[in-house]
Structure formats: structure tokens, C-alpha cells
């Protein structure tokens, strides 16, 4: 759309419907969108439950135009989501072991059995898509910076068994992102096309990349030798943050309190609230 989007407030809900055939009930996909960066991450517990975990997928949207916030945002959102999903899975193992086993089996579906990286990756427990947004701004960056960001996101996506797609307002890119979402929401065939050229928008469906194609972290051998890291993920993080030092966590916290927003004013509640604060 042309108008600039309103920022998402806390947790917003919308849905999509698709008719499979004439005169059959429509399939409904529920979309929950978490706003506020990492400040409201606790709300993730609301949409992801043991009832819907079999059909749930996570779409993580990262702002390519703000590389200094990228790793912190990604790490904290994925960590909290994963912890919550793991809690649900361990509960399911006791109450419904077949479903838990099916979810665990499905984690590895995108990686072929003989994929050379199967020992090096740690797939996310439910389907994950990483969207790099604002590609139009990112495209103006210096090519070296673009290469580091693209390579790092390829590593992270492959490590978590996620699909990776860069988007902007361009129609062609939106169509690709939409195809991925349709695949997750309605089971449409997923796209087999792959684009790994760092000078173009990336599009890599889960399981179609490999460590050998991604290559080592973008740093000189002497720098890599100095960096102490226990895992490949940690090493990539250190290399990335050397170029893009992370903003401190308090900078990322949203200072605007939605409760103060005039569009949510309710006289009686506000009076009681003021009283409580006092």
C-alpha cells in the first residue's frame, strides 16, 4: 500500500482465508503480529499454545536498514520463542507423545537425510522464516557491508533450518514473500527458486543452503584466530558485531508507553489508573 503503515501495537491479530474448491469451507490462517521490538517479547506465550503448535510457524522480520540492532533483536526474539516452544513440547511428551514425536521429526524434514551439515545445525522446533525488510534502503549500503549482513543472515537461517527472504515495497519481492507465507499458512507448494547473489535480494527456502556455499565468517584469518568462541554461532556473532557494534539494550526499549496514547483514552480507567499511580 502507498500509505505508511502504523506501527504494530503490542500483539495484533488478523487472518487470511483461502477457498480450496467451490462450495467447500474456506481455510483460515490466523496471523499474530508482535510489535515493540524486543520490549514485549513475553507476549509470545499468548498465540503459541499446545493446541495449535502442530500448525504454527514463526516469521521473524528484521530491519535490514538497522544492522546495529539486527543481532540483538534476532537473538532475543528467537531465544524467548524457542524456550516457550520447548516448554510446550516437553509438556506434550507427557500428555501426547505422538504429536511431540511428529513435531520433532518434522524439524528435520527440510534437511535431506544425507545433507552434509546435519551435524552442524540446530533446527528451530517449528517452521521459521526470516524476512529481511527494507531491502530498498539496504541496497544503497556499501557493498562490503551488504556482503557481511547477507552472509551472516544466510548462516543464521541455515543454522536454524529457516527460510530467508529479503523484501521491500517492490511487487516482485512481495510476491516471493507471499508465496512463502502461503506455503506456511495454506500448504501451497513451496517455491524451489533460490537466489544467493549478495548483489541481489536473497531468497533461500529452508534446507537449500549449505555451509560450504556460505563460507567462513567474513573476517581475516588473524582476526578469527583472536576471537574466542565456543560455537560457530558465537563466532559469527562476534565477527558481525565487530563491524556493527550492537546498540545497548536500553536504547532498544521502546520509550513510548501505549497506555499514554490519546487514541486509547478511557476516562474512568484513566482516573483509576492515575489514582493507583499516585
Amino acid at each position: 500500500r502507498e500509505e505508511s503503515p502504523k506501527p504494530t501495537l503490542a500483539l495484533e491479530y488478523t487472518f487470511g482465508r483461502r477457498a480450496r474448491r467451490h462450495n467447500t469451507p474456506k481455510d483460515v490462517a490466523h496471523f499474530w503480529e508482535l510489535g515493540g521490538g524486543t520490549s514485549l517479547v513475553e507476549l509470545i506465550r499468548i498465540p503459541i499454545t499446545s493446541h495449535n503448535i502442530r500448525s504454527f510457524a514463526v516469521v521473524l522480520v528484521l530491519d535490514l536498514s538497522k544492522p546495529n540492532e539486527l543481532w540483538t533483536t534476532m537473538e532475543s526474539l528467537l531465544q524467548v520463542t524457542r524456550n516457550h516452544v520447548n516448554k510446550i513440547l516437553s509438556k506434550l511428551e507427557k500428555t501426547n507423545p505422538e504429536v511431540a514425536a511428529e513435531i520433532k521429526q518434522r524439524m528435520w524434514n527440510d534437511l535431506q537425510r544425507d545433507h552434509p551439515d546435519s551435524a552442524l545445525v540446530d533446527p528451530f522446533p517449528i517452521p521459521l522464516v526470516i524476512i529481511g525488510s527494507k531491502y530498498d534502503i539496504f541496497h544503497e549500503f556499501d557493498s562490503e557491508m551488504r556482503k557481511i549482513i547477507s552472509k551472516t543472515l544466510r548462516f543464521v537461517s541455515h543454522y536454524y533450518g529457516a527460510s530467508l527472504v529479503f523484501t521491500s515495497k517492490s511487487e516482485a519481492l512481495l510476491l516471493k514473500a507471499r508465496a512463502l507465507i502461503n506455503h506456511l499458512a495454506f500448504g501451497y507448494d513451496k517455491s524451489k527458486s533460490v537466489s544467493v547473489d549478495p548483489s541481489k535480494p536473497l531468497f533461500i527456502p529452508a534446507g537449500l543452503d549449505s555451509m560450504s556455499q556460505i563460507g567462513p565468517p567474513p573476517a581475516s584469518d588473524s582476526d578469527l584466530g583472536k576471537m574466542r568462541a565456543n560455537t560457530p554461532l558465537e563466532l559469527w556473532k562476534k565477527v558481525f558485531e565487530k563491524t556493527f557494534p550492537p546498540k545497548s539494550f536500553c536504547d532498544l526499549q521502546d520509550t513510548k508507553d501505549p497506555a499514554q496514547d490519546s487514541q486509547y483514552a478511557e476516562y474512568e480507567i484513566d482516573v483509576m489508573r492515575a489514582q493507583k499511580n499516585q
Side-chain angles (χ1 to χ4, degrees):
R1 295 178 179 167
E2 282 313 305
E3 69 263 25
S4 52
K6 276 203 194 117
T8 304
L9 191 88
L11 195 61
E12 288 188 2
Y13 170 80
T14 181
F15 62 90
R17 278 194 297 221
R18 271 284 164 94
R20 285 195 175 250
R21 287 178 301 282
H22 193 54
N23 285 345
T24 55
K26 287 184 174 175
D27 287 338
V28 178
H30 305 279
F31 292 91
W32 294 89
E33 185 179 358
L34 179 73
T38 52
S39 56
L40 300 170
V41 73
E42 286 308 308
L43 292 176
I44 277 173
R45 294 200 304 262
I46 296 168
I48 309 180
T49 66
S50 51
H51 300 298
N52 63 21
I53 186 112
R54 285 169 87 173
S55 56
F56 213 95
V58 173
V59 179
L60 173 66
V61 181
L62 298 172
D63 187 336
L64 294 174
S65 69
K66 297 179 181 165
N68 299 73
E69 294 176 17
L70 207 137
W71 193 284
T72 317
T73 307
M74 172 186 73
E75 192 173 54
S76 47
L77 287 170
L78 287 183
Q79 230 162 9
V80 172
T81 310
R82 186 169 215 160
N83 291 345
H84 176 59
V85 170
N86 285 341
K87 260 186 213 150
I88 292 178
L89 284 177
S90 42
K91 248 189 223 159
L92 275 177
E93 275 170 348
K94 297 186 186 89
T95 57
N96 198 335
E98 293 86 42
V99 171
E102 178 200 323
I103 291 171
K104 291 202 159 157
Q105 167 55 42
R106 224 179 40 195
M107 270 164 68
W108 293 94
N109 278 0
D110 284 321
L111 269 193
Q112 278 72 37
R113 281 264 162 262
D114 52 353
H115 197 293
D117 299 338
S118 46
L120 307 169
V121 296
D122 184 12
F124 208 69
I126 51 179
L128 174 66
V129 171
I130 297 178
I131 291 184
S133 67
K134 305 197 181 166
Y135 178 77
D136 40 349
I137 302 172
F138 172 76
H139 190 58
E140 304 299 316
F141 284 8
D142 163 71
S143 71
E144 235 5 79
M145 282 167 72
R146 283 208 314 265
K147 209 176 275 177
I148 294 173
I149 298 169
S150 297
K151 212 173 175 184
T152 303
L153 285 178
R154 276 181 69 185
F155 171 79
V156 168
S157 299
H158 184 54
Y159 181 77
Y160 284 126
S163 299
L164 177 65
V165 55
F166 284 2
T167 65
S168 69
K169 283 182 176 173
S170 104
E171 199 54 45
L173 290 186
L174 287 175
L175 277 173
K176 282 190 157 183
R178 185 173 284 168
L180 258 182
I181 304 292
N182 275 334
H183 163 66
L184 292 175
F186 301 110
Y188 281 48
D189 289 347
K190 63 175 179 190
S191 169
K192 289 278 189 287
S193 78
V194 177
S195 166
V196 293
D197 180 348
S199 62
K200 297 193 176 84
L202 297 181
F203 181 85
I204 311 168
L208 296 185
D209 213 339
S210 68
M211 296 295 186
S212 56
Q213 282 176 297
I214 297 166
S220 68
D221 290 349
S222 62
D223 278 352
L224 287 177
K226 288 180 203 146
M227 289 179 182
R228 291 183 178 277
N230 297 325
T231 61
L233 193 66
E234 212 179 301
L235 182 65
W236 278 83
K237 176 183 180 172
K238 287 190 166 164
V239 171
F240 185 78
E241 292 187 341
K242 194 167 187 274
T243 312
F244 304 106
K247 285 194 171 177
S248 73
F249 201 67
C250 27
D251 298 347
L252 288 178
Q253 291 287 3
D254 224 337
T255 43
K256 290 194 294 295
D257 176 5
Q260 305 303 325
D261 194 317
S262 57
Q263 66 171 320
Y264 301 109
E266 287 182 67
Y267 180 74
E268 288 87 353
I269 293 176
D270 295 341
V271 169
M272 286 160 83
R273 185 72 203 240
Q275 212 172 342
K276 184 178 185 226
N277 289 346
Q278 202 175 333

